[in-house]
């Protein structure tokens, strides 16, 4: 089989199953789950303080 024939067959299988990711769908689901958990976590207080300090320091640098 040529590369184009193999790719075409894979695309048909994905379209037939209704799953656009095909065999990678489980990986995609796990990555989405991990991302959703990561985004929902609270930012540690110390990190939030450092970000605040950085934001206050940036306008001072622009005036120079």
């Amino acid at each position: 089989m040529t590369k184009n024939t193999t790719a075409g067959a894979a695309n048909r299988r994905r379209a037939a199953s209704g799953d656009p990711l095909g065999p990678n769908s489980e990986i995609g689901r796990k990555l989405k789950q991990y991302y959703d958990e990561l985004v929902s976590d609270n930012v540690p207080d110390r990190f939030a303080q450092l970000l605040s300090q950085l934001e206050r320091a940036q306008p001072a640098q622009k005036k120079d």
Side-chain angles (χ1 to χ4, degrees):
M1 278 187 158
T2 65
K3 194 173 191 176
N4 289 339
T5 305
T6 306
N11 286 337
R12 283 191 296 280
R13 281 193 299 273
R14 274 187 246 140
S17 68
D19 190 357
L21 296 177
N24 295 323
S25 61
E26 183 64 24
I27 295 169
R29 278 193 291 275
K30 291 204 181 255
L31 285 172
K32 172 117 175 61
Q33 179 184 5
Y34 177 71
Y35 175 78
D36 290 342
E37 289 172 7
L38 187 63
V39 169
S40 67
D41 284 348
N42 292 329
V43 176
D45 291 337
R46 178 66 180 141
F47 189 68
Q49 291 170 352
L50 290 171
L51 288 174
S52 296
Q53 290 174 2
L54 180 62
E55 289 172 354
R56 286 192 302 267
Q58 285 178 340
Q61 290 176 352
K62 290 180 183 177
K63 293 178 185 176
D64 292 339

